Amino acid sequence: MQTTNNPKETLYPHVSVDCVLLGIHDEQLCVLLTERRDAGTDRTEYKLPGSLIYETEDLDDAAYRILNEATGLKRVPLKQFRSFGSPRRTANKEDVLWLENASKLKIGRIITVAYLALCKVKRLKISDRYGPAQWTPIARLPRLPFDHEEIIAAAVREIRVWLDMEPSIVFDYLPQLFTVSQLRRTYEIIYNRNIDVRNFHKKMNSLGYVVQTDETEQGMPHRSARFYRFDKKEYHRMRNKLNTI
Amino acid sequence: MQTTNNPKETLYPHVSVDCVLLGIHDEQLCVLLTERRDAGTDRTEYKLPGSLIYETEDLDDAAYRILNEATGLKRVPLKQFRSFGSPRRTANKEDVLWLENASKLKIGRIITVAYLALCKVKRLKISDRYGPAQWTPIARLPRLPFDHEEIIAAAVREIRVWLDMEPSIVFDYLPQLFTVSQLRRTYEIIYNRNIDVRNFHKKMNSLGYVVQTDETEQGMPHRSARFYRFDKKEYHRMRNKLNTI
DNA sequence: CCAAAAGTGTTGGCCCTACACCCATGG
DNA sequence: CCATGGGTGTAGGGCCAACACTTTTGG
């Protein structure tokens, strides 16, 4: 892959970054998987988007690079949530062969640092670098290489904690104008439970940073829903107030 | 350090594990630092207990090895909380020289995986492998190598979140029999705020897994306090019930 | 008897939950 | 006019915070 000895273009074959990019498609929580073509076979297998880091690349920068290569997105909040380093990660020789082939490097052991994001499905641009990407329901994952299944399970647990502590990430996911229903469905799918409609309305109206607009959703075969927007300034004002107590 | 090519005794010079071992001493939150002797000088400097991992060593196993080498403890709950991999970690040449000297390996870039634990101060046994260890108040840290100051700051934020989600870790820290005061002081020091005595008593009595014993603390120049114990079975029973809803 | 810490209840506010009906729109 | 989802209020319970006095012990 690399063509020079410039450390910015030289891979560091000991540490990788994998991104668990979550999104919602057909009312299901999905994860973005990229195709992995095994040399010499015509099977198509899937894996988490990820890559070895470069010699002088920061972990966060590597995660944003992978995000961008896989989706075309740039400013989605990404969270490092755990590192996986079991020596048995590379127990499957087929996985190692594939990686050695893809990186042109001799691979021994690899520690991977896992990142998490909530992404808009629609904005997805298919990357030509790592093969096409595909949203796959969490509930119907194919067999994945290394410990990617374990990483995804940890990510699903983690995003709920993250969303509890930093509700703004859900607004990066939604369009600028959204209805309370869209917001509620998003929560329901991420937490995998039903949420009471009235209580949810009350809650959102009490927050202060979810504000009504005068616009409504048109063309629905039922009463039209009001659009709301996320007030980022108010959100950060409230957050700072809490932190300084 | 290593003497053979056995992978169990060969260091993997790309990934290290650092442990932020927190404890309470003189009513202050402290972190365990180990001495680092710089070759050729008689200065004594300090660092977090940590080490490169071995070729075939799991990250968690490395963390427990470091815990044991630094304190003699074996079964303290350790939590991986973040990895640090800025290429600028190794910007200070003195730090790199020291590490190369200590490991007898050429060091380029290192990613470190940071772990956290709450340890009993009293049980501390001084390790002879990495030099003596010393409890140092968080509020008065010396200059530390690499990004150890940043790692400690992240650990202090993290332990509060961890304790909120997994209250049992505080009972691993306390003696088997403890008074409500001891428990409360522990919380006060970790969260760095005062806690109302009556409310705290009520709360602990309502939990179900903090149970009275018939024993009392003797020899105090004031009314003697009742000892309580942690009911581990009840704790896990309640925890499972919550998770299955 | 004094100092020092142990222990104990009540109240109000906030937030969460449960719960049922009318409204607006497109077809 | 009907099907579909949009939108609304109240009451009860649990948890938290604030707050002051009596009890026990050793010296």
Side-chain angles (χ1 to χ4, degrees):
Chain A
M1 198 69 69
Q2 69 279 15
T3 53
T4 74
N5 284 325
N6 181 334
K8 291 202 176 170
E9 299 176 18
T10 307
L11 289 169
Y12 187 72
H14 312 287
V15 176
S16 65
V17 166
D18 285 315
C19 290
V20 182
L21 305 177
L22 298 172
I24 296 172
H25 189 57
D26 282 343
E27 303 272 295
Q28 285 187 293
L29 188 60
C30 295
V31 60
L32 190 74
L33 300 177
T34 55
E35 283 191 13
R36 151 184 148 175
R37 297 220 190 74
D38 288 328
T41 73
D42 49 2
R43 264 184 308 171
T44 300
E45 299 204 335
Y46 292 92
K47 60 183 271 292
L48 286 175
S51 126
L52 295 172
I53 62 175
Y54 287 105
E55 286 275 355
T56 61
E57 187 179 40
D58 197 5
L59 296 174
D60 288 0
D61 294 341
Y64 276 99
R65 171 172 60 82
I66 291 159
L67 169 74
N68 186 251
E69 284 166 357
T71 66
L73 298 171
K74 285 195 172 174
R75 286 180 222 293
V76 179
L78 266 172
K79 184 189 174 68
Q80 188 205 108
F81 70 96
R82 203 160 119 198
S83 296
F84 295 79
S86 163
R88 297 195 304 172
R89 294 191 73 234
T90 45
N92 186 333
K93 283 173 188 168
E94 209 173 294
D95 294 342
V96 175
L97 278 173
W98 167 83
L99 185 55
E100 289 184 339
N101 209 280
S103 69
K104 312 292 185 211
L105 291 168
K106 178 67 188 166
I107 300 298
R109 178 180 186 180
I110 293 186
I111 277 73
T112 201
V113 185
Y115 282 74
L116 170 61
L118 190 61
C119 297
K120 302 193 196 205
V121 171
K122 289 176 191 166
R123 277 205 198 157
L124 182 60
K125 168 183 98 180
I126 284 165
S127 161
D128 51 358
R129 174 150 184 192
Y130 290 117
Q134 183 160 322
W135 289 102
T136 309
I138 294 291
R140 297 180 186 190
L141 293 176
R143 277 190 67 80
L144 295 173
F146 303 110
D147 46 6
H148 287 190
E149 296 171 43
E150 186 189 349
I151 295 175
I152 292 171
V156 172
R157 285 192 299 273
E158 193 66 24
I159 197 175
R160 296 170 184 164
V161 177
W162 189 22
L163 189 49
D164 283 340
M165 295 199 309
E166 194 74 66
S168 64
I169 58 170
V170 80
F171 302 106
D172 282 290
Y173 162 77
L174 290 168
Q176 276 221 326
L177 293 181
F178 52 86
T179 67
V180 175
S181 274
Q182 289 173 332
L183 183 54
R184 182 173 47 80
R185 285 299 296 147
T186 307
Y187 273 97
E188 287 182 333
I189 292 164
I190 293 173
Y191 288 89
N192 195 29
R193 63 188 176 88
N194 294 329
I195 298 174
D196 182 272
V197 180
R198 275 183 285 191
N199 293 336
F200 192 78
H201 266 266
K202 257 180 304 178
K203 173 85 178 179
M204 290 305 125
N205 282 315
S206 74
L207 288 176
Y209 53 80
V210 178
V211 298
Q212 286 194 0
T213 70
D214 295 332
E215 301 182 58
T216 55
E217 200 179 23
Q218 301 298 328
M220 295 285 132
H222 52 75
R223 178 171 171 180
S224 58
R226 184 183 290 274
F227 279 125
Y228 285 73
R229 65 181 177 79
F230 173 59
D231 186 336
K232 196 177 275 191
K233 281 185 188 169
E234 178 63 13
Y235 178 81
H236 287 110
R237 216 181 53 75
M238 291 179 64
R239 184 140 283 245
N240 287 333
K241 193 179 279 184
L242 283 176
N243 287 339
T244 53
I245 285 172
Chain B
M1 199 68 70
Q2 69 280 16
T3 53
T4 73
N5 285 324
N6 182 333
K8 291 203 176 171
E9 300 175 17
T10 306
L11 289 170
Y12 187 72
H14 312 287
V15 176
S16 65
V17 166
D18 285 314
C19 290
V20 183
L21 305 176
L22 298 171
I24 296 172
H25 189 59
D26 282 343
E27 303 272 295
Q28 286 186 292
L29 188 59
C30 295
V31 60
L32 190 74
L33 300 178
T34 55
E35 284 191 13
R36 152 185 148 176
R37 296 221 191 75
D38 288 327
T41 72
D42 50 2
R43 264 184 307 173
T44 301
E45 300 204 337
Y46 293 91
K47 60 183 272 290
L48 286 175
S51 128
L52 295 172
I53 62 175
Y54 287 105
E55 288 274 356
T56 61
E57 187 178 40
D58 196 5
L59 296 173
D60 288 0
D61 294 340
Y64 276 99
R65 172 172 59 83
I66 291 159
L67 168 76
N68 186 252
E69 284 166 356
T71 67
L73 299 171
K74 285 195 174 174
R75 287 180 221 290
V76 180
L78 267 171
K79 183 189 174 67
Q80 188 205 108
F81 70 97
R82 203 160 120 198
S83 296
F84 295 80
S86 164
R88 298 195 303 174
R89 294 191 73 235
T90 45
N92 186 334
K93 283 172 188 166
E94 210 173 293
D95 293 342
V96 175
L97 278 174
W98 167 82
L99 185 53
E100 289 184 339
N101 209 280
S103 69
K104 312 291 185 210
L105 290 168
K106 177 68 188 165
I107 300 298
R109 180 182 185 178
I110 293 186
I111 278 73
T112 200
V113 184
Y115 282 75
L116 170 62
L118 190 61
C119 297
K120 302 195 196 202
V121 171
K122 287 176 194 166
R123 277 205 199 154
L124 180 60
K125 167 183 99 181
I126 284 166
S127 161
D128 51 359
R129 174 150 184 194
Y130 291 116
Q134 182 162 322
W135 291 101
T136 309
I138 294 292
R140 297 181 187 190
L141 293 177
R143 278 190 67 79
L144 295 172
F146 303 110
D147 46 6
H148 287 191
E149 295 172 44
E150 185 189 350
I151 295 175
I152 292 171
V156 172
R157 286 192 299 273
E158 194 66 24
I159 198 176
R160 295 171 185 164
V161 176
W162 188 21
L163 189 48
D164 284 340
M165 296 197 310
E166 195 73 68
S168 63
I169 59 170
V170 81
F171 302 106
D172 282 290
Y173 161 77
L174 289 168
Q176 276 221 327
L177 293 180
F178 53 85
T179 68
V180 176
S181 277
Q182 289 172 333
L183 183 54
R184 183 172 48 81
R185 285 300 295 147
T186 307
Y187 272 97
E188 287 182 333
I189 291 164
I190 293 173
Y191 288 89
N192 194 30
R193 63 188 177 85
N194 294 328
I195 297 174
D196 182 271
V197 180
R198 272 181 287 189
N199 292 335
F200 192 78
H201 266 267
K202 256 181 305 177
K203 172 84 177 181
M204 291 305 123
N205 281 315
S206 74
L207 288 176
Y209 53 79
V210 178
V211 297
Q212 287 194 359
T213 70
D214 295 331
E215 302 183 57
T216 55
E217 201 180 23
Q218 302 298 327
M220 295 285 132
H222 52 76
R223 177 169 170 180
S224 58
R226 183 184 290 275
F227 279 124
Y228 286 72
R229 65 181 177 80
F230 174 60
D231 185 335
K232 197 177 275 192
K233 281 185 188 168
E234 177 63 12
Y235 178 82
H236 287 109
R237 218 180 51 75
M238 293 180 62
R239 183 139 284 244
N240 288 334
K241 194 179 280 184
L242 282 176
N243 288 339
T244 52
I245 285 175

mmCIF file of all heavy atoms in Angstrom, chain A residues 53-61, chain B residues 84-92 96 108-111 147:
data_model
loop_
_atom_site.group_PDB
_atom_site.id
_atom_site.type_symbol
_atom_site.label_atom_id
_atom_site.label_comp_id
_atom_site.label_asym_id
_atom_site.label_seq_id
_atom_site.Cartn_x
_atom_site.Cartn_y
_atom_site.Cartn_z
ATOM 1 N N ILE A 53 -2.696 1.600 11.650
ATOM 2 C CA ILE A 53 -2.408 3.032 11.713
ATOM 3 C C ILE A 53 -1.091 3.301 10.989
ATOM 4 O O ILE A 53 -0.299 2.390 10.753
ATOM 5 C CB ILE A 53 -2.323 3.538 13.169
ATOM 6 C CG1 ILE A 53 -1.185 2.846 13.935
ATOM 7 C CG2 ILE A 53 -3.641 3.297 13.880
ATOM 8 C CD1 ILE A 53 -0.968 3.389 15.328
ATOM 9 N N TYR A 54 -0.862 4.553 10.626
ATOM 10 C CA TYR A 54 0.428 4.945 10.044
ATOM 11 C C TYR A 54 1.416 5.251 11.164
ATOM 12 O O TYR A 54 1.030 5.544 12.300
ATOM 13 C CB TYR A 54 0.239 6.162 9.134
ATOM 14 C CG TYR A 54 -0.447 5.809 7.834
ATOM 15 C CD1 TYR A 54 -1.784 6.145 7.616
ATOM 16 C CD2 TYR A 54 0.230 5.107 6.855
ATOM 17 C CE1 TYR A 54 -2.417 5.793 6.430
ATOM 18 C CE2 TYR A 54 -0.401 4.756 5.667
ATOM 19 C CZ TYR A 54 -1.721 5.098 5.463
ATOM 20 O OH TYR A 54 -2.343 4.739 4.284
ATOM 21 N N GLU A 55 2.661 5.216 10.803
ATOM 22 C CA GLU A 55 3.762 5.395 11.767
ATOM 23 C C GLU A 55 3.577 6.613 12.678
ATOM 24 O O GLU A 55 3.881 6.563 13.864
ATOM 25 C CB GLU A 55 5.091 5.560 11.012
ATOM 26 C CG GLU A 55 5.637 4.273 10.406
ATOM 27 C CD GLU A 55 6.457 3.459 11.393
ATOM 28 O OE1 GLU A 55 6.678 3.915 12.511
ATOM 29 O OE2 GLU A 55 6.873 2.348 11.014
ATOM 30 N N THR A 56 3.117 7.723 12.107
ATOM 31 C CA THR A 56 3.046 8.958 12.907
ATOM 32 C C THR A 56 1.620 9.438 13.068
ATOM 33 O O THR A 56 1.369 10.615 13.304
ATOM 34 C CB THR A 56 3.857 10.082 12.232
ATOM 35 O OG1 THR A 56 3.288 10.328 10.948
ATOM 36 C CG2 THR A 56 5.311 9.699 12.091
ATOM 37 N N GLU A 57 0.686 8.529 12.945
ATOM 38 C CA GLU A 57 -0.713 8.939 12.960
ATOM 39 C C GLU A 57 -1.313 8.769 14.349
ATOM 40 O O GLU A 57 -1.145 7.726 14.986
ATOM 41 C CB GLU A 57 -1.482 8.075 11.959
ATOM 42 C CG GLU A 57 -2.913 8.482 11.725
ATOM 43 C CD GLU A 57 -3.577 7.577 10.692
ATOM 44 O OE1 GLU A 57 -3.331 6.352 10.733
ATOM 45 O OE2 GLU A 57 -4.343 8.087 9.875
ATOM 46 N N ASP A 58 -2.006 9.772 14.812
ATOM 47 C CA ASP A 58 -2.713 9.680 16.088
ATOM 48 C C ASP A 58 -3.879 8.702 15.950
ATOM 49 O O ASP A 58 -4.430 8.524 14.863
ATOM 50 C CB ASP A 58 -3.238 11.071 16.461
ATOM 51 C CG ASP A 58 -3.624 11.156 17.929
ATOM 52 O OD1 ASP A 58 -3.392 10.175 18.659
ATOM 53 O OD2 ASP A 58 -4.155 12.192 18.343
ATOM 54 N N LEU A 59 -4.239 8.056 17.053
ATOM 55 C CA LEU A 59 -5.334 7.075 17.005
ATOM 56 C C LEU A 59 -6.633 7.727 16.534
ATOM 57 O O LEU A 59 -7.341 7.183 15.694
ATOM 58 C CB LEU A 59 -5.539 6.446 18.385
ATOM 59 C CG LEU A 59 -4.382 5.612 18.937
ATOM 60 C CD1 LEU A 59 -4.669 5.186 20.362
ATOM 61 C CD2 LEU A 59 -4.146 4.385 18.062
ATOM 62 N N ASP A 60 -6.960 8.894 17.108
ATOM 63 C CA ASP A 60 -8.196 9.572 16.711
ATOM 64 C C ASP A 60 -8.169 9.927 15.227
ATOM 65 O O ASP A 60 -9.176 9.807 14.523
ATOM 66 C CB ASP A 60 -8.397 10.859 17.524
ATOM 67 C CG ASP A 60 -8.777 10.558 18.972
ATOM 68 O OD1 ASP A 60 -8.889 9.376 19.337
ATOM 69 O OD2 ASP A 60 -8.971 11.519 19.732
ATOM 70 N N ASP A 61 -7.014 10.374 14.739
ATOM 71 C CA ASP A 61 -6.911 10.718 13.318
ATOM 72 C C ASP A 61 -7.130 9.487 12.447
ATOM 73 O O ASP A 61 -7.788 9.564 11.404
ATOM 74 C CB ASP A 61 -5.528 11.319 13.015
ATOM 75 C CG ASP A 61 -5.338 12.661 13.711
ATOM 76 O OD1 ASP A 61 -6.345 13.271 14.096
ATOM 77 O OD2 ASP A 61 -4.173 13.068 13.883
ATOM 78 N N PHE B 84 -3.944 5.347 24.841
ATOM 79 C CA PHE B 84 -3.317 6.612 24.490
ATOM 80 C C PHE B 84 -2.272 6.329 23.434
ATOM 81 O O PHE B 84 -1.384 5.506 23.632
ATOM 82 C CB PHE B 84 -2.684 7.238 25.735
ATOM 83 C CG PHE B 84 -3.701 7.632 26.771
ATOM 84 C CD1 PHE B 84 -4.253 6.684 27.623
ATOM 85 C CD2 PHE B 84 -4.124 8.939 26.874
ATOM 86 C CE1 PHE B 84 -5.202 7.041 28.559
ATOM 87 C CE2 PHE B 84 -5.076 9.309 27.809
ATOM 88 C CZ PHE B 84 -5.614 8.359 28.649
ATOM 89 N N GLY B 85 -2.365 7.022 22.306
ATOM 90 C CA GLY B 85 -1.466 6.675 21.222
ATOM 91 C C GLY B 85 -0.984 7.859 20.424
ATOM 92 O O GLY B 85 -0.581 7.693 19.283
ATOM 93 N N SER B 86 -1.006 9.042 21.019
ATOM 94 C CA SER B 86 -0.499 10.185 20.267
ATOM 95 C C SER B 86 0.949 9.937 19.891
ATOM 96 O O SER B 86 1.742 9.467 20.705
ATOM 97 C CB SER B 86 -0.598 11.444 21.117
ATOM 98 O OG SER B 86 0.209 12.455 20.554
ATOM 99 N N PRO B 87 1.322 10.235 18.635
ATOM 100 C CA PRO B 87 2.741 10.070 18.278
ATOM 101 C C PRO B 87 3.625 10.994 19.119
ATOM 102 O O PRO B 87 4.817 10.750 19.250
ATOM 103 C CB PRO B 87 2.786 10.441 16.792
ATOM 104 C CG PRO B 87 1.447 10.888 16.409
ATOM 105 C CD PRO B 87 0.498 10.660 17.520
ATOM 106 N N ARG B 88 3.050 12.023 19.718
ATOM 107 C CA ARG B 88 3.849 12.941 20.533
ATOM 108 C C ARG B 88 4.107 12.412 21.942
ATOM 109 O O ARG B 88 4.775 13.057 22.737
ATOM 110 C CB ARG B 88 3.170 14.302 20.598
ATOM 111 C CG ARG B 88 3.063 14.943 19.194
ATOM 112 C CD ARG B 88 2.750 16.401 19.292
ATOM 113 N NE ARG B 88 1.516 16.611 20.044
ATOM 114 C CZ ARG B 88 1.076 17.811 20.382
ATOM 115 N NH1 ARG B 88 1.758 18.892 20.074
ATOM 116 N NH2 ARG B 88 -0.054 17.940 21.047
ATOM 117 N N ARG B 89 3.521 11.255 22.258
ATOM 118 C CA ARG B 89 3.794 10.643 23.554
ATOM 119 C C ARG B 89 5.297 10.487 23.773
ATOM 120 O O ARG B 89 5.799 10.660 24.870
ATOM 121 C CB ARG B 89 3.183 9.236 23.657
ATOM 122 C CG ARG B 89 1.688 9.189 23.640
ATOM 123 C CD ARG B 89 1.224 7.801 24.005
ATOM 124 N NE ARG B 89 1.428 7.568 25.428
ATOM 125 C CZ ARG B 89 2.097 6.585 25.948
ATOM 126 N NH1 ARG B 89 2.655 5.682 25.160
ATOM 127 N NH2 ARG B 89 2.235 6.465 27.247
ATOM 128 N N THR B 90 5.975 10.095 22.705
ATOM 129 C CA THR B 90 7.407 9.823 22.822
ATOM 130 C C THR B 90 8.236 11.016 22.339
ATOM 131 O O THR B 90 9.350 10.856 21.866
ATOM 132 C CB THR B 90 7.762 8.550 22.040
ATOM 133 O OG1 THR B 90 7.107 8.592 20.772
ATOM 134 C CG2 THR B 90 7.317 7.318 22.770
ATOM 135 N N ALA B 91 7.665 12.220 22.483
ATOM 136 C CA ALA B 91 8.378 13.419 22.029
ATOM 137 C C ALA B 91 9.580 13.718 22.927
ATOM 138 O O ALA B 91 10.599 14.240 22.474
ATOM 139 C CB ALA B 91 7.430 14.621 22.009
ATOM 140 N N ASN B 92 9.460 13.395 24.201
ATOM 141 C CA ASN B 92 10.558 13.658 25.129
ATOM 142 C C ASN B 92 11.608 12.557 25.016
ATOM 143 O O ASN B 92 11.383 11.412 25.392
ATOM 144 C CB ASN B 92 9.998 13.725 26.561
ATOM 145 C CG ASN B 92 11.063 14.150 27.555
ATOM 146 O OD1 ASN B 92 12.259 13.937 27.334
ATOM 147 N ND2 ASN B 92 10.618 14.754 28.642
ATOM 148 N N VAL B 96 12.196 8.276 26.233
ATOM 149 C CA VAL B 96 12.450 7.162 25.329
ATOM 150 C C VAL B 96 13.764 6.466 25.689
ATOM 151 O O VAL B 96 13.839 5.243 25.730
ATOM 152 C CB VAL B 96 12.473 7.648 23.864
ATOM 153 C CG1 VAL B 96 12.861 6.506 22.933
ATOM 154 C CG2 VAL B 96 11.116 8.216 23.480
ATOM 155 N N GLY B 108 10.303 2.740 19.159
ATOM 156 C CA GLY B 108 9.825 3.767 18.239
ATOM 157 C C GLY B 108 8.612 4.391 18.886
ATOM 158 O O GLY B 108 8.683 5.017 19.930
ATOM 159 N N ARG B 109 7.493 4.104 18.310
ATOM 160 C CA ARG B 109 6.255 4.617 18.829
ATOM 161 C C ARG B 109 5.647 3.597 19.783
ATOM 162 O O ARG B 109 5.816 2.399 19.582
ATOM 163 C CB ARG B 109 5.330 4.803 17.650
ATOM 164 C CG ARG B 109 4.032 5.333 18.054
ATOM 165 C CD ARG B 109 3.151 5.459 16.871
ATOM 166 N NE ARG B 109 1.947 6.085 17.318
ATOM 167 C CZ ARG B 109 0.954 6.386 16.528
ATOM 168 N NH1 ARG B 109 1.042 6.133 15.257
ATOM 169 N NH2 ARG B 109 -0.113 6.955 17.008
ATOM 170 N N ILE B 110 4.934 4.048 20.790
ATOM 171 C CA ILE B 110 4.246 3.114 21.683
ATOM 172 C C ILE B 110 2.818 3.554 21.927
ATOM 173 O O ILE B 110 2.564 4.710 22.217
ATOM 174 C CB ILE B 110 4.964 3.000 23.042
ATOM 175 C CG1 ILE B 110 6.322 2.341 22.843
ATOM 176 C CG2 ILE B 110 4.147 2.192 24.033
ATOM 177 C CD1 ILE B 110 7.025 2.065 24.123
ATOM 178 N N ILE B 111 1.926 2.606 21.795
ATOM 179 C CA ILE B 111 0.545 2.828 22.213
ATOM 180 C C ILE B 111 0.408 2.232 23.604
ATOM 181 O O ILE B 111 0.850 1.109 23.859
ATOM 182 C CB ILE B 111 -0.442 2.149 21.237
ATOM 183 C CG1 ILE B 111 -0.692 3.028 20.010
ATOM 184 C CG2 ILE B 111 -1.783 1.889 21.889
ATOM 185 C CD1 ILE B 111 0.421 3.090 19.052
ATOM 186 N N ASP B 147 2.746 10.825 28.729
ATOM 187 C CA ASP B 147 1.517 11.573 28.996
ATOM 188 C C ASP B 147 0.856 11.071 30.277
ATOM 189 O O ASP B 147 -0.358 11.059 30.398
ATOM 190 C CB ASP B 147 0.566 11.442 27.807
ATOM 191 C CG ASP B 147 0.470 10.003 27.324
ATOM 192 O OD1 ASP B 147 1.051 9.111 27.992
ATOM 193 O OD2 ASP B 147 -0.161 9.748 26.298
#
